Amino acid sequence: MTSSKKRGPLARVARWTGLLGVAALAAIAVDAWPALGKKAQGERRAKMERSAQWQDGHFENPQPLYNDWWGSMKAMFAGSPYTGPSEPLPTVPGDRHRFETPPATGLRVTWLGHSSALIELDGHRILTDPVWSERASPLSWVGPKRWYEPPIALAELPPVDAVVISHDHYDHLDYPTLVAMKDWNTTFVVPLGVGAHLVSWGVPESRIVELDWWERTRVRELEVVATPARHASGRTVIDKDATLWAGFALLGPKHRAYYSGDTGLFPAMKDIGARLGPFDVTMIEVGQYHSAWPDWHIGPEQAVLAHRMVQGRVLLPVHWGLFTLALHGWTEPIERVLTAAAQAGDAVVVPRPGESIEPEAPPTRERWWPEVPWETAAQHPIVSTRVN
């Protein structure tokens, strides 16, 4: 047999399979590339490096995040069979006409699912972590899929004074949504470094305000303060913690609201309450958690504790009810929040997706989610590390 002998059919199949694989990967890369965003450069990068949170080329938490990798692997084979709803959820659709009448109390929140909410506060409108895409992913055809259509179309929202974005993970910073909003006459308030993504998507630099923890900006008569959070960032496998993460305090002439962003429990929550509270409403994440990574997401019971630490009056749980991002039962976060709040005597409101409520005059709470099996705090405790 000589080296010039023609290749057999299996070799040709392997060759063409390899070429097709390379072509498919290239097509995926081209499709995902815009959503990945851009790295910060120039003065934006210089400001990041001056932050007290910047260490050794990336941002760090004062209390590092604990990860039990083996526990995480085992959890993949022991998830709840109820991680998403089996029936359509009772959303409350609407349009801009709903917002023509201002809230009687001066404060109204419309929860749109997960961490997206429209807050009307003393004549100002603030939109938190807007995600209108079908998937929380850089690709339109793969990744966590939303359980229902947006209750209010993006084009049907009333004029918004400020859009606050807590960090650059895909379930909080959504490329198609930001592209659709790039020409809005609004102010985009983001943590350090996140502005580079927005600029690459066409948002004017003049509309972007980047803040470090405890820094603030003013939008008309509203003060927006970036508050500490305990989390992480990144849109690729090589940019972990390249941008900052934060919560936000929204301070109006008469009312105050707190949005936690994604966070584990951390001691400085008491400082947030002492320096910026009390808050008429807190929107604290309660879902998408596991005991193997207890510092990444705060969990239901610790969310109630955080509500008290920041001096909240009414808790509106967020970061649940739209995507499957963890393996607990999908109703478990709200069941456990209500159990913990009842024991402590805390006020909790649970609007349907798309429902508008006034925390100072809340409607009678109705159970709009089904009864499915869930684990209690005793069965699956979420206890953040390095917290006394």
Side-chain angles (χ1 to χ4, degrees):
M1 183 180 295
T2 65
S3 60
S4 61
K5 183 177 177 61
K6 292 183 179 180
R7 295 182 179 180
L10 290 179
R12 288 196 295 272
V13 168
R15 179 171 178 267
W16 281 108
T17 300
L19 290 174
L20 288 173
V22 170
L25 290 174
I28 292 172
V30 169
D31 188 23
W33 189 261
L36 302 182
K38 295 290 185 181
K39 293 194 302 183
Q41 297 178 336
E43 178 52 35
R44 175 172 280 115
R45 171 78 179 201
K47 182 178 180 182
M48 293 162 58
E49 293 178 353
R50 292 193 293 269
S51 169
Q53 282 60 250
W54 184 266
Q55 298 179 29
D56 300 325
H58 61 275
F59 289 103
E60 286 275 7
N61 289 288
Q63 294 82 32
L65 305 180
Y66 169 76
N67 293 288
D68 176 1
W69 299 111
W70 178 241
S72 298
M73 292 295 293
K74 290 193 298 182
M76 296 176 65
F77 302 96
S80 168
Y82 305 97
T83 56
S86 58
E87 300 290 339
L89 298 186
T91 61
V92 182
D95 57 28
R96 65 180 61 230
H97 297 297
R98 182 195 300 186
F99 306 98
E100 292 175 350
T101 301
T105 62
L107 174 62
R108 181 166 59 199
V109 182
T110 303
W111 182 55
L112 299 163
H114 202 58
S115 295
S116 300
L118 179 64
I119 305 163
E120 298 167 272
L121 190 151
D122 297 341
H124 305 81
R125 296 192 184 103
I126 308 98
L127 188 60
T128 64
D129 286 350
V131 176
W132 260 253
S133 291
E134 185 178 23
R135 295 183 185 275
S137 168
L139 298 166
S140 61
W141 49 273
V142 68
K145 186 177 181 180
R146 62 188 305 139
W147 301 338
Y148 46 83
E149 292 295 315
I152 302 174
L154 197 62
E156 285 299 319
L157 291 179
V160 172
D161 296 286
V163 176
V164 300
I165 297 171
S166 62
H167 63 298
D168 70 0
H169 284 160
Y170 289 100
D171 58 321
H172 296 263
L173 178 62
D174 181 42
Y175 163 68
T177 301
L178 267 293
V179 169
M181 297 167 60
K182 65 183 178 63
D183 296 322
W184 281 17
N185 183 21
T186 191
T187 301
F188 296 86
V189 186
V190 299
L192 293 178
V194 176
H197 298 315
L198 272 60
V199 170
S200 74
W201 299 335
V203 178
E205 187 78 65
S206 61
R207 293 270 175 209
I208 302 170
V209 177
E210 287 182 285
L211 300 177
D212 199 351
W213 293 349
W214 301 115
E215 290 185 337
R216 60 183 66 201
T217 190
R218 181 173 287 274
V219 180
R220 296 197 294 118
E221 295 182 349
L222 175 76
E223 276 198 294
V224 181
V225 185
T227 56
R230 187 181 185 185
H231 197 53
S233 67
R235 294 177 77 79
T236 70
V237 296
I238 60 173
D239 70 338
K240 185 178 182 302
D241 301 341
T243 62
L244 189 59
W245 47 92
F248 290 97
L250 309 172
L251 313 180
K254 297 181 180 179
H255 293 89
R256 296 184 172 217
Y258 168 70
Y259 168 51
S260 70
D262 279 7
T263 188
L265 193 69
F266 60 97
M269 282 185 162
K270 285 189 175 181
D271 298 330
I272 295 171
R275 294 170 63 168
L276 303 171
F279 295 100
D280 300 285
V281 64
T282 66
M283 290 155 286
I284 299 177
E285 67 141 294
V286 303
Q288 318 312 321
Y289 51 79
H290 195 274
S291 58
W293 27 278
D295 300 327
W296 287 73
H297 294 287
I298 199 167
E301 294 76 27
Q302 292 188 145
V304 175
L305 174 58
H307 169 72
R308 296 199 297 271
M309 291 172 71
V310 301
Q311 300 183 32
R313 291 171 177 153
V314 177
L315 169 62
L316 194 161
V318 297
H319 206 257
W320 78 288
L322 182 60
F323 295 113
T324 299
L325 302 175
L327 297 176
H328 55 68
W330 78 271
T331 66
E332 182 178 303
I334 201 61
E335 299 281 16
R336 288 173 56 166
V337 161
L338 293 176
T339 299
Q343 294 171 351
D346 292 297
V348 180
V349 290
V350 191
R352 293 173 173 82
E355 184 178 3
S356 301
I357 64 163
E358 299 189 39
E360 293 181 341
T364 301
R365 186 167 63 229
E366 297 182 20
R367 183 189 180 90
W368 54 263
W369 58 96
E371 292 194 31
V372 297
W374 52 277
E375 290 187 318
T376 66
Q379 292 171 310
H380 185 195
I382 308 299
V383 181
S384 295
T385 64
R386 300 174 183 261
V387 179
N388 185 353

